Amino acid sequence: MKIQDKTMKLSDKTVNILKNFSQINKSIVINPGNELSTLAVTKNILAFAKVKEDFTSKICIYDLPEFISTFTLFKSPEFDFTNDNYMVISDKGTKTSTQFFYADPSVITTAPDKKISLPSVDVEFNVSDSDLDTLFKASRIYNVPDLFLVGDGSTMRMVVKDKKNDTSNNFSMEMGETDKVFTFYFKVENMKLLPGNYRVQACKSVALFTSVNDDLEYYIALEPDSTIG
């Protein structure tokens, strides 16, 4: 929905995506159109999302958490993007408003203009929201930092444990069958996914988590000691 006067409201879903993206990178550049993207400063997490809003100008926000916190000052915030240097946030029909100034885009780590392609798809499966939630809960309970995706030529499992400690507590969950032998390592701290069901495609270097229900994708780098074959 294009707003010709550059004024709009943000849906709850878009706000939730912005909150999630702020965990990946505290800064963001929103280009004209209806796609949001972010890239971690360490360049190991890349995410894309399509939203219902159609942004009409380039918006560069250095402190995204602060921007989101600004919403709490208003009952129903409305955003005016008319000025090229800042946006105006206000409650329509009230006397409250704020000017939120844009950042220099050169100081922000931004996602590439085009989505990347996986070098190969060696593993592919679906994982549910409840399974991911259980795995992350187990990681917190055991205070372990690593998430394994393991195939033994027969069964595929996701495991949380500390790979540097052979005697660490671990929690395992079967994900299905596989004819491949592999061990793919993730850091749990890099699993910055919005809750939901995902289709997972992975190779030795990177995994793509595609939301089953929303237009949302995360590319998450695997740890360099991951192996296959």
Side-chain angles (χ1 to χ4, degrees):
M1 181 178 67
K2 186 165 283 190
I3 309 294
Q4 305 222 341
D5 63 0
K6 295 188 176 183
T7 302
M8 68 169 64
K9 291 181 179 289
L10 298 182
S11 67
D12 290 342
K13 181 175 285 189
T14 298
V15 172
N16 285 335
I17 290 170
L18 288 171
K19 287 178 180 178
N20 173 249
F21 281 14
S22 74
Q23 298 173 28
I24 298 172
N25 186 336
K26 77 166 192 173
S27 305
I28 194 170
V29 173
I30 301 174
N31 291 307
N34 69 337
E35 186 168 85
L36 304 179
S37 60
T38 189
L39 174 66
V41 174
T42 51
K43 298 186 177 180
N44 58 353
I45 311 170
L46 171 65
F48 296 93
K50 284 189 178 178
V51 296
K52 72 175 187 179
E53 295 84 0
D54 194 343
F55 293 91
T56 56
S57 57
K58 189 171 186 176
I59 302 165
C60 304
I61 300 172
Y62 182 74
D63 193 330
L64 187 53
E66 181 181 73
F67 172 65
I68 295 167
S69 294
T70 302
F71 302 172
T72 63
L73 298 172
F74 305 93
K75 292 182 179 178
S76 181
E78 190 171 87
F79 302 83
D80 184 338
F81 303 112
T82 304
N83 193 287
D84 292 333
N85 298 314
Y86 59 84
M87 73 179 78
V88 176
I89 309 172
S90 62
D91 267 328
K92 191 172 183 179
T94 73
K95 298 179 180 180
T96 57
S97 66
T98 186
Q99 290 179 337
F100 196 97
F101 280 82
Y102 300 142
D104 182 341
S106 66
V107 303
I108 299 175
T109 301
T110 58
D113 293 334
K114 295 182 180 179
K115 295 181 181 180
I116 64 174
S117 298
L118 298 185
S120 61
V121 178
D122 300 316
V123 180
E124 190 167 7
F125 64 99
N126 285 347
V127 61
S128 70
D129 178 42
S130 60
D131 286 349
L132 286 171
D133 185 63
T134 300
L135 285 161
F136 298 152
K137 183 178 180 180
S139 171
R140 293 191 297 270
I141 290 171
Y142 290 145
N143 194 27
V144 291
D146 301 302
L147 172 66
F148 293 32
L149 178 60
V150 181
D152 61 8
S154 168
T155 303
M156 179 168 48
R157 296 172 293 121
M158 295 186 88
V159 184
V160 291
K161 64 175 295 184
D162 183 347
K163 69 179 180 180
K164 294 182 179 180
N165 181 359
D166 291 337
T167 62
S168 80
N169 293 327
N170 66 81
F171 181 86
S172 175
M173 181 179 292
E174 287 192 13
M175 290 288 111
E177 299 178 351
T178 182
D179 60 357
K180 295 183 174 67
V181 176
F182 55 88
T183 304
F184 293 163
Y185 298 114
F186 301 87
K187 286 295 184 185
V188 173
E189 65 184 20
N190 292 337
M191 305 300 291
K192 311 266 189 203
L193 307 173
L194 271 172
N197 304 317
Y198 288 89
R199 183 69 178 167
V200 184
Q201 297 170 298
C203 62
K204 183 181 174 182
S205 58
V206 64
L208 169 60
F209 290 75
T210 303
S211 172
V212 173
N213 305 114
D214 297 301
D215 205 335
L216 181 63
E217 295 177 334
Y218 299 86
Y219 296 83
I220 301 176
L222 276 65
E223 295 301 293
D225 51 349
S226 298
T227 61
I228 186 168

